């Protein structure tokens, strides 16, 4: 197994873990972290694709590398904006949950059943 295959497998694992976390966790902060894990896996896949071209004997193409660095910066900025929005939501409502508050007697039977 060469390094390119290993990095590709690690990227696939990161994307899979991120998708699992995105689907399973109901909290917005955990969903944000899962989304960032997916993004890092995709960045790793893009880096592997750019590296495979250079490893095949072709000259290194700076365009994929520049796009990758730009994508990382944009993802960081989007994550910072999402965290700031979550902090503002917590200041306003006291909770970071997006779901509406359930009534206090929800889930309790009326005593008839």
């Amino acid at each position: 197994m060469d390094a390119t295959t290993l990095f590709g497998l690690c990227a696939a694992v990161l994307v899979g873990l991120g998708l699992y976390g995105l689907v399973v966790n109901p909290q917005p902060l955990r969903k944000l972290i899962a989304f960032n894990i997916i993004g890092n896996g995709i960045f790793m896949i893009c880096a592997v694709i750019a590296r495979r071209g250079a490893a095949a004997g072709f000259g290194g193409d700076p365009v994929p590398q520049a796009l990758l660095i730009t994508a990382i910066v944009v993802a960081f900025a989007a994550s910072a904006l999402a965290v700031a929005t979550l902090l503002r939501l917590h200041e306003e409502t006291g909770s970071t949950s997006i779901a509406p508050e359930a009534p206090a007697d929800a889930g309790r039977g009326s005593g008839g059943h």
Side-chain angles (χ1 to χ4, degrees), residues 6 30 38 40-42 46 54 70 79 87-89 91 94:
L6 183 64
R30 290 183 181 178
I38 292 172
N40 286 332
I42 291 173
C46 292
T70 304
S79 296
L87 287 174
R88 180 72 177 163
L89 178 67
E91 286 178 4

Side-chain angles (χ1 to χ4, degrees), residues 19-33:
L19 282 174
Y20 176 76
L22 194 63
V23 170
V24 170
N25 291 318
Q27 292 88 10
L29 184 60
R30 290 183 181 178
K31 284 186 180 284
L32 177 67
I33 292 170

